[in-house]
Coordinates of all heavy atoms in Angstrom, one line a residue:
L1 N 0.8 -1.2 0.0 CA 0.0 0.0 0.0 C 0.9 1.2 0.0 O 1.9 1.3 0.7 CB -0.9 0.0 1.2 CG -1.9 -1.2 1.2 CD1 -2.8 -1.1 2.5 CD2 -2.9 -1.1 0.0
P2 N 0.5 2.2 -0.8 CA 1.4 3.4 -1.0 C 1.5 4.3 0.2 O 0.5 4.5 0.9 CB 0.8 4.1 -2.2 CG -0.6 3.7 -2.2 CD -0.7 2.3 -1.7
D3 N 2.6 4.8 0.5 CA 2.8 5.8 1.6 C 2.1 7.1 1.3 O 1.7 7.9 2.2 CB 4.3 6.1 1.9 CG 5.0 4.8 2.5 OD1 4.3 4.0 3.1 OD2 6.2 4.7 2.2
E4 N 2.0 7.5 0.0 CA 1.4 8.7 -0.5 C 0.3 8.2 -1.6 O 0.5 7.2 -2.2 CB 2.4 9.7 -1.1 CG 3.4 10.2 0.0 CD 4.4 11.2 -0.6 OE1 4.8 10.9 -1.8 OE2 4.7 12.1 0.0
P5 N -0.7 9.0 -1.8 CA -1.7 8.7 -2.7 C -1.1 8.4 -4.1 O -0.3 9.2 -4.6 CB -2.7 9.9 -2.7 CG -2.5 10.4 -1.4 CD -1.1 10.3 -1.0
N6 N -1.5 7.3 -4.7 CA -1.2 7.0 -6.1 C -2.2 7.5 -7.0 O -3.4 7.2 -6.8 CB -1.0 5.5 -6.2 CG -0.9 4.9 -7.6 OD1 -1.8 4.9 -8.4 ND2 0.3 4.5 -7.9
F7 N -1.9 8.3 -8.0 CA -2.9 8.9 -8.8 C -2.6 8.9 -10.3 O -1.4 8.9 -10.7 CB -3.3 10.3 -8.4 CG -2.3 11.4 -8.7 CD1 -2.5 12.2 -9.8 CD2 -1.2 11.7 -7.9 CE1 -1.6 13.2 -10.2 CE2 -0.3 12.7 -8.2 CZ -0.5 13.5 -9.3
Q8 N -3.7 9.0 -11.1 CA -3.6 9.1 -12.6 C -4.6 10.2 -13.0 O -5.6 10.4 -12.3 CB -4.0 7.8 -13.3 CG -3.2 6.6 -12.9 CD -1.8 6.6 -13.4 OE1 -1.5 7.2 -14.4 NE2 -0.8 6.0 -12.7
I9 N -4.4 10.8 -14.1 CA -5.3 11.8 -14.7 C -5.9 11.2 -15.9 O -5.2 10.7 -16.8 CB -4.6 13.1 -15.0 CG1 -3.9 13.7 -13.8 CG2 -5.6 14.1 -15.6 CD1 -3.1 15.0 -14.0
V10 N -7.3 11.3 -16.0 CA -8.0 10.8 -17.2 C -8.9 11.9 -17.8 O -9.1 12.9 -17.2 CB -8.8 9.5 -16.8 CG1 -7.9 8.5 -16.2 CG2 -10.0 9.9 -15.9
A11 N -9.3 11.6 -19.0 CA -10.1 12.6 -19.8 C -11.4 12.9 -19.2 O -12.2 12.0 -18.8 CB -10.2 12.1 -21.2
G12 N -11.8 14.2 -19.1 CA -13.1 14.6 -18.7 C -14.2 14.1 -19.6 O -15.4 14.0 -19.1
T13 N -13.9 13.8 -20.8 CA -14.9 13.3 -21.8 C -15.4 11.9 -21.5 O -16.3 11.3 -22.1 CB -14.4 13.3 -23.2 OG1 -13.1 12.7 -23.3 CG2 -14.3 14.8 -23.7
A14 N -14.7 11.2 -20.5 CA -15.1 9.9 -20.1 C -16.4 9.8 -19.3 O -17.0 8.8 -19.1 CB -14.0 9.2 -19.3
I15 N -16.9 11.0 -18.8 CA -18.1 11.0 -17.9 C -19.3 10.6 -18.7 O -19.5 10.9 -19.9 CB -18.3 12.5 -17.4 CG1 -17.2 12.9 -16.5 CG2 -19.7 12.6 -16.8 CD1 -17.2 12.2 -15.1
A16 N -20.1 9.8 -18.0 CA -21.4 9.3 -18.6 C -22.5 9.5 -17.5 O -22.2 9.6 -16.3 CB -21.4 7.9 -19.0
A17 N -23.7 9.6 -17.9 CA -24.9 9.9 -17.0 C -25.4 8.6 -16.4 O -25.1 7.5 -16.9 CB -26.0 10.5 -17.8
P18 N -26.1 8.7 -15.3 CA -26.8 7.6 -14.7 C -27.7 7.0 -15.8 O -28.4 7.7 -16.5 CB -27.6 8.1 -13.5 CG -26.8 9.4 -13.2 CD -26.3 9.9 -14.4
G19 N -27.7 5.7 -15.9 CA -28.6 5.0 -16.9 C -28.1 4.9 -18.3 O -28.6 4.2 -19.1
A20 N -27.0 5.6 -18.5 CA -26.4 5.6 -19.9 C -25.6 4.3 -20.1 O -25.2 3.6 -19.1 CB -25.4 6.8 -20.1
S21 N -25.3 4.0 -21.3 CA -24.5 2.8 -21.7 C -23.1 3.0 -21.4 O -22.5 4.1 -21.7 CB -24.7 2.4 -23.1 OG -26.0 2.0 -23.4
I22 N -22.4 2.0 -20.8 CA -21.0 1.9 -20.8 C -20.6 1.2 -22.1 O -21.0 0.0 -22.4 CB -20.5 1.1 -19.6 CG1 -20.8 1.8 -18.3 CG2 -19.0 0.8 -19.7 CD1 -20.7 0.9 -17.1
V23 N -19.9 1.9 -23.0 CA -19.7 1.4 -24.4 C -18.4 0.6 -24.4 O -17.3 1.2 -24.1 CB -19.7 2.5 -25.4 CG1 -19.5 2.0 -26.8 CG2 -21.1 3.2 -25.4
L24 N -18.4 -0.6 -24.8 CA -17.2 -1.4 -25.0 C -16.5 -0.9 -26.2 O -17.0 -1.1 -27.3 CB -17.6 -2.9 -25.1 CG -18.3 -3.5 -23.9 CD1 -18.7 -5.0 -24.3 CD2 -17.5 -3.5 -22.7
P25 N -15.3 -0.4 -26.1 CA -14.6 0.2 -27.3 C -14.1 -0.9 -28.2 O -13.7 -2.0 -27.8 CB -13.5 1.0 -26.7 CG -13.2 0.3 -25.3 CD -14.5 -0.2 -24.9
A26 N -14.2 -0.6 -29.5 CA -13.7 -1.6 -30.5 C -12.3 -2.0 -30.3 O -11.9 -3.2 -30.6 CB -14.0 -1.1 -31.9
V27 N -11.4 -1.1 -29.9 CA -10.0 -1.4 -29.8 C -9.6 -2.1 -28.5 O -8.5 -2.6 -28.4 CB -9.2 -0.1 -29.9 CG1 -9.4 0.5 -31.3 CG2 -9.4 0.9 -28.8
A28 N -10.6 -2.2 -27.6 CA -10.2 -2.9 -26.3 C -11.5 -3.3 -25.6 O -11.9 -2.7 -24.6 CB -9.5 -1.9 -25.4
N29 N -12.2 -4.3 -26.1 CA -13.5 -4.7 -25.6 C -13.5 -6.0 -24.9 O -14.6 -6.4 -24.3 CB -14.5 -4.8 -26.8 CG -14.1 -5.8 -27.9 OD1 -13.3 -6.7 -27.6 ND2 -14.7 -5.6 -29.0
A30 N -12.4 -6.7 -24.7 CA -12.4 -8.0 -24.2 C -12.2 -8.1 -22.6 O -12.7 -9.0 -22.0 CB -11.3 -8.9 -24.8
K31 N -11.6 -7.0 -22.1 CA -11.3 -7.1 -20.6 C -11.6 -5.8 -20.0 O -10.9 -5.1 -19.3 CB -9.8 -7.4 -20.4 CG -9.4 -8.8 -20.9 CD -8.0 -9.1 -20.6 CE -7.7 -10.6 -21.0 NZ -6.2 -10.9 -20.7
V32 N -12.9 -5.3 -20.2 CA -13.4 -4.1 -19.6 C -13.9 -4.5 -18.2 O -14.7 -5.4 -18.0 CB -14.5 -3.5 -20.5 CG1 -15.1 -2.3 -19.8 CG2 -13.8 -3.1 -21.8
D33 N -13.5 -3.7 -17.2 CA -13.8 -4.0 -15.8 C -14.5 -2.8 -15.1 O -14.3 -1.7 -15.5 CB -12.5 -4.3 -15.1 CG -12.6 -5.1 -13.8 OD1 -13.7 -5.4 -13.4 OD2 -11.6 -5.5 -13.3
Y34 N -15.2 -3.1 -14.1 CA -15.9 -2.1 -13.2 C -15.1 -1.8 -12.0 O -14.2 -2.7 -11.6 CB -17.3 -2.7 -12.7 CG -17.1 -4.0 -12.0 CD1 -16.9 -4.0 -10.7 CD2 -17.2 -5.2 -12.7 CE1 -16.7 -5.2 -10.0 CE2 -17.0 -6.4 -12.1 CZ -16.7 -6.4 -10.7 OH -16.5 -7.6 -10.1
E35 N -15.2 -0.7 -11.4 CA -14.7 -0.3 -10.1 C -15.6 0.6 -9.4 O -15.7 1.8 -9.8 CB -13.3 0.3 -10.2 CG -12.2 -0.6 -10.8 CD -10.8 0.1 -10.8 OE1 -10.6 1.0 -9.9 OE2 -10.0 -0.3 -11.6

């Protein structure tokens, strides 16, 4: 476990609304995971 927070920055365009589809991308659709 890290002594300090481990972080990454991701694109704001990734946001989706409640009830919207999580779209499996054509270039990486086999191992899409939830968190």
Side-chain angles (χ1 to χ4, degrees):
L1 296 176
D3 294 330
E4 296 180 322
N6 171 286
F7 75 94
Q8 306 287 332
I9 301 176
V10 305
T13 49
I15 293 291
S21 291
I22 297 167
V23 179
L24 301 176
V27 297
N29 59 19
K31 295 184 177 181
V32 175
D33 202 355
Y34 56 87
E35 295 186 25

